[in-house]
Amino acid sequence: MLTVNKLVAGGRGLAAVLLKRAARVTLDWDVRQKSRFDATDSSGRTLGVFLPRGTVVRGGDVLVAEDGSLIAVEAAAQPVLRVTHCREHGSPFDLLRAAYHLGNRHVQLELKPDHLKLEPDHVLVELLRQMHLIVHEANEAFEPEAGAYASGGQHGHAHEHEHEHAHDHDHDHGHDHDHPH
């Protein structure tokens, strides 16, 4: 068994040629949210993954084995609920409302501009349909939001905010401006 105890988030800093040559491992969300698990990579090697407690593995991350070899992680397709708003009777705001209510229930959600994704749950399907949302079963990769209290170095706000320098005003949008709202 090959031991893995390091993760490079998003493969940052690794040369493209190294990533292209790396073995692959496809994992569903249930496995990727654990810090300790066994898996088999595309080279047929058995991996014993031992990451720091609380580490979440995302599609696009790269695992580093004890022997220095790299294993690129792919998010496996899995059963999910894909939630969209009703274009005839609703609006995209309905998705925001649904995300609020699901968040209050601590449901793990993947947020997209035009839909939400969550793990299958018949009770939540009924709730969402009562909110006049369209719920479809799908088989897709699932990458839920990390959450407000996720550990900092994983995929939260560990990156620099390049966009802060692209604006020529601060982000205090109080109503002291010359323009009407």
Side-chain angles (χ1 to χ4, degrees), residues 19-121:
L19 294 175
K20 187 175 182 179
R21 286 190 226 157
R24 305 262 180 255
V25 65
T26 303
L27 306 169
D28 66 16
W29 175 244
D30 186 51
V31 172
R32 289 183 291 116
Q33 63 183 326
K34 297 175 183 169
S35 54
R36 286 161 171 59
F37 57 88
D38 293 335
T40 303
D41 72 10
S42 60
S43 298
R45 301 178 300 177
T46 301
L47 309 173
V49 179
F50 302 95
L51 299 170
R53 294 250 181 243
T55 301
V56 173
V57 180
R58 300 282 181 173
D61 286 349
V62 177
L63 300 171
V64 182
E66 277 186 331
D67 68 357
S69 62
L70 303 177
I71 304 102
V73 177
E74 297 172 347
Q78 64 182 75
V80 294
L81 299 176
R82 188 180 176 101
V83 182
T84 57
H85 74 278
C86 175
R87 296 189 191 279
E88 275 185 51
H89 303 103
S91 77
F93 181 76
D94 297 334
L95 290 175
L96 185 61
R97 218 173 83 242
Y100 171 81
H101 288 290
L102 292 168
N104 277 342
R105 293 171 179 246
H106 302 281
V107 173
Q108 293 190 350
L109 283 178
E110 181 175 346
L111 306 173
K112 296 293 184 181
D114 63 343
H115 68 276
L116 304 174
K117 275 196 240 178
L118 61 144
E119 292 179 295
D121 182 316

